[in-house]
């Protein structure tokens, strides 16, 4: 199945939970809004100064040869001003409210302060223009405006905007519960000695890190023995505890690959085998009504299939409205004359705006993902000529 069709099928099966809770905004980073957020105030709430300087009515200077005015009041930020007296200026600061009667602010660098007989005067070194350096009421946000729609995944800038309109608490979706299962009798947990034929388990930790970055609640994280019975037992336990199950390995066609058969015996398999490289054995189905994402066993295939397919599914299941990563178009810094039948995701580094291949594209090599900065997407059946512009997905867009 082509990647685009597989992604559409996955998203069609992703059902956001209706389980919500209220959180203080300081505790809501990474959470997903369950309702629109409306402002009850204008931001800023009144016209204010964009810088330190002097407020005046531009008509007060007229055609005077000496452009100066008496300073009639001082307005610190956070205090209410008096109406501007005719033929005077007001000393004010960044964020100070503009007094009624003023129509411009001149920055202090373009003025000279003068003390004459105990009175403060200001000379203007530029001709002020009405509207200069004034931030108008509501220019950022208007009262009644939807500042953030339902489905927004809250980042630091979102929290700042919510605070700016006085919102202290938000209704958000509860995190989905995920079970992570790594299959393979050859796998050993880090910290233990390796025996002949064994390797350390990296997939469990890659997946845990990616899930934690999404804000999922990991309720089960374990290794599964390579037997049909052990796999079925682990899937049963996971389906009882989690909203979604993610496995690595066991979905190919080998004699020791038991996940596919175990899923089919306990539920249904809705898709299997994709036109993607790496990650062809990717599977999706249900175990006791709980969705299962069956990722391949090779470490880089786990990374690609999670980022491109599992991540959007999980985000939509969390209530996120926009789930696909942003893509750029960059020039290929290499050529490849051999086309392949699957859409390929190459680990590349951007050098002077061009995509340079990582040291290895093997699905068993994970270290090249550390030195790369993103995936270069090569469509199925395409050759690559140096200078071709191809889609590029920065790792920052997929949580790596």
């Amino acid at each position: 199945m082509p990647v685009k069709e597989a992604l559409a099928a996955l998203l069609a099966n992703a059902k956001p939970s209706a389980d919500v809770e209220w959180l203080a905004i300081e505790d809501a980073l990474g959470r997903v809004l369950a309702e629109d957020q409306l402002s009850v105030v204008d931001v800023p709430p009144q016209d204010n100064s964009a810088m330190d300087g002097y407020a005046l009515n531009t008509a007060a200077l007229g055609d005077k040869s000496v452009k100066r005015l008496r300073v009639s009041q001082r307005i610190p930020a956070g205090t209410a001003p008096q109406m501007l007296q005719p033929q005077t200026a007001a000393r004010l600061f960044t964020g100070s409210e503009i007094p009624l009667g003023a129509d411009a602010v001149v920055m202090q660098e373009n003025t000279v302060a003068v003390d004459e007989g105990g009175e403060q005067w200001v000379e203007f070194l530029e001709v002020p223009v009405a509207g200069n350096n004034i931030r108008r009421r509501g220019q950022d946000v208007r009262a009644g405006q939807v500042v953030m729609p339902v489905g927004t995944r809250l980042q630091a800038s979102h929290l700042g905007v919510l605070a700016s309109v006085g919102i202290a608490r938000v209704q958000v979706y509860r995190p989905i519960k995920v079970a992570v299962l790594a299959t393979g009798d050859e796998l050993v947990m880090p910290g233990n000695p390796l025996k002949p034929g064994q390797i350390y388990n990296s997939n469990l930790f890659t997946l845990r890190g990616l899930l934690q970055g999404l804000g999922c609640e990991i309720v089960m994280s374990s290794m599964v023995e390579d037997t049909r019975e052990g796999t079925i037992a682990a899937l049963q336990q996971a389906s009882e505890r989690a909203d979604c199950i993610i496995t690595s390995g066991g979905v190919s066609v080998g004699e020791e690959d038991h996940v596919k058969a175990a899923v089919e015996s306990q539920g249904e398999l809705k898709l299997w085998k994709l036109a993607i490289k790496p990650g062809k054995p990717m599977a999706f189905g249900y175990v006791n009504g709980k969705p299962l994402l069956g990722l391949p066993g090779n470490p880089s295939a786990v990374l690609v299939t999670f980022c491109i397919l599992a991540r959007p599914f999980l985000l939509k299941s969390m209530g996120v409205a926009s789930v696909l990563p942003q893509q750029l178009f960059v020039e290929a810094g290499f050529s490849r004359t051999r086309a392949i039948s699957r859409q390929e995701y190459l680990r590349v580094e951007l050098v002077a705006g061009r995509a340079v291949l990582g040291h290895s594209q093997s699905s068993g090599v994970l270290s090249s993902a550390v030195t790369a900065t993103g995936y270069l997407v090569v469509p199925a059946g395409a050759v690559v000529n140096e200078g071709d512009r191809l889609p590029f997905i920065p790792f920052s867009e997929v949580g790596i």
Side-chain angles (χ1 to χ4, degrees):
M1 180 182 290
V3 174
K4 185 176 180 179
E5 291 182 22
L7 183 57
L10 284 170
L11 293 180
N13 281 276
K15 308 300 181 187
S17 169
D19 196 7
V20 299
E21 62 181 332
W22 285 90
L23 286 181
I25 60 171
E26 58 264 35
D27 299 322
L29 183 68
R31 302 295 292 273
V32 183
L33 288 177
E35 60 181 5
D36 292 342
Q37 300 299 305
L38 279 69
S39 175
V40 296
V41 297
D42 290 329
V43 180
Q46 62 276 318
D47 293 354
N48 70 84
S49 178
M51 56 192 58
D52 293 356
Y54 294 85
L56 74 159
N57 189 300
T58 53
L61 295 180
D63 297 325
K64 295 178 182 177
S65 58
V66 178
K67 307 291 188 183
R68 74 175 195 164
L69 295 171
R70 183 175 62 86
V71 179
S72 59
Q73 63 176 306
R74 185 177 184 273
I75 313 170
T79 62
Q82 300 173 356
M83 179 181 289
L84 185 66
Q85 296 177 20
Q87 303 297 312
T88 70
R91 176 72 165 123
L92 78 180
F93 306 89
T94 303
S96 296
E97 184 176 346
I98 303 297
L100 190 65
D103 65 359
V105 172
V106 178
M107 69 172 68
Q108 66 181 26
E109 291 87 345
N110 293 326
T111 65
V112 176
V114 180
D115 187 345
E116 282 189 3
E119 285 191 325
Q120 296 296 314
W121 294 73
V122 58
E123 293 184 2
F124 297 96
L125 305 180
E126 69 171 17
V127 178
V129 177
N132 274 10
N133 302 318
I134 294 178
R135 296 186 291 214
R136 296 298 182 187
R137 174 177 178 169
Q139 75 171 35
D140 185 6
V141 177
R142 303 295 295 185
Q145 176 184 336
V146 175
V147 293
M148 234 157 279
V150 61
T152 299
R153 188 164 173 249
L154 297 173
Q155 304 303 316
S157 58
H158 298 116
L159 301 183
V161 171
L162 291 171
S164 76
V165 298
I167 294 173
R169 291 169 57 80
V170 288
Q171 191 179 62
V172 295
Y173 293 107
R174 290 188 184 275
I176 61 170
K177 298 176 180 180
V178 182
V180 186
L181 307 177
T183 69
D185 286 344
E186 76 280 11
L187 301 178
V188 176
M189 294 295 280
N192 296 307
L194 289 177
K195 296 178 181 178
Q198 294 182 328
I199 59 173
Y200 285 120
N201 185 348
S202 65
N203 289 342
L204 204 60
F205 296 90
T206 297
L207 289 171
R208 284 185 60 90
L210 291 166
L211 290 166
Q212 287 169 347
L214 285 180
C216 299
E217 181 184 348
I218 301 172
V219 295
M220 183 176 174
S221 176
S222 61
M223 295 170 58
V224 179
E225 64 181 33
D226 274 337
T227 65
R228 178 183 173 89
E229 295 75 18
T231 304
I232 289 175
L235 291 177
Q236 288 280 7
Q237 184 182 4
S239 69
E240 294 169 0
R241 299 177 59 184
D243 302 314
C244 180
I245 307 165
I246 297 181
T247 63
S248 67
V251 289
S252 194
V253 293
E255 292 180 4
E256 299 299 320
D257 293 319
H258 300 290
V259 172
K260 176 178 177 290
V263 171
E264 289 175 321
S265 72
Q266 303 301 306
E268 61 175 330
L269 200 66
K270 296 185 75 72
L271 66 85
W272 180 55
K273 287 190 177 181
L274 308 183
I276 187 172
K277 182 180 180 182
K280 177 182 176 182
M282 166 86 183
F284 173 73
Y286 289 89
V287 175
N288 296 328
K290 301 295 179 65
L292 175 138
L293 296 156
L295 310 187
N298 281 316
S300 283
V302 165
L303 204 59
V304 167
T305 51
F306 184 94
C307 292
I308 304 304
L309 297 159
R311 188 175 193 272
F313 175 87
L314 291 168
L315 286 172
K316 187 175 178 183
S317 300
M318 294 163 61
V320 177
S322 179
V323 300
L324 300 182
Q326 294 291 316
Q327 296 186 12
L328 311 174
F329 280 84
V330 302
E331 290 186 0
F334 62 93
S335 296
R336 194 178 66 182
T337 58
R338 182 178 64 87
I340 65 171
S341 60
R342 292 178 279 161
Q343 183 157 294
E344 191 166 11
Y345 292 81
L346 299 173
R347 285 150 276 164
V348 298
E349 182 180 1
L350 286 189
V351 179
R354 303 189 109 201
V356 177
L357 287 173
H359 68 270
S360 175
Q361 297 300 320
S362 168
S363 60
V365 173
L366 187 59
S367 61
S368 57
V370 175
T371 55
T373 53
Y375 289 121
L376 190 70
V377 185
V378 181
V383 298
V384 180
N385 298 304
E386 187 169 350
D388 285 351
R389 293 182 63 80
L390 293 170
F392 171 77
I393 303 173
F395 280 166
S396 58
E397 281 291 307
V398 288
I400 298 179

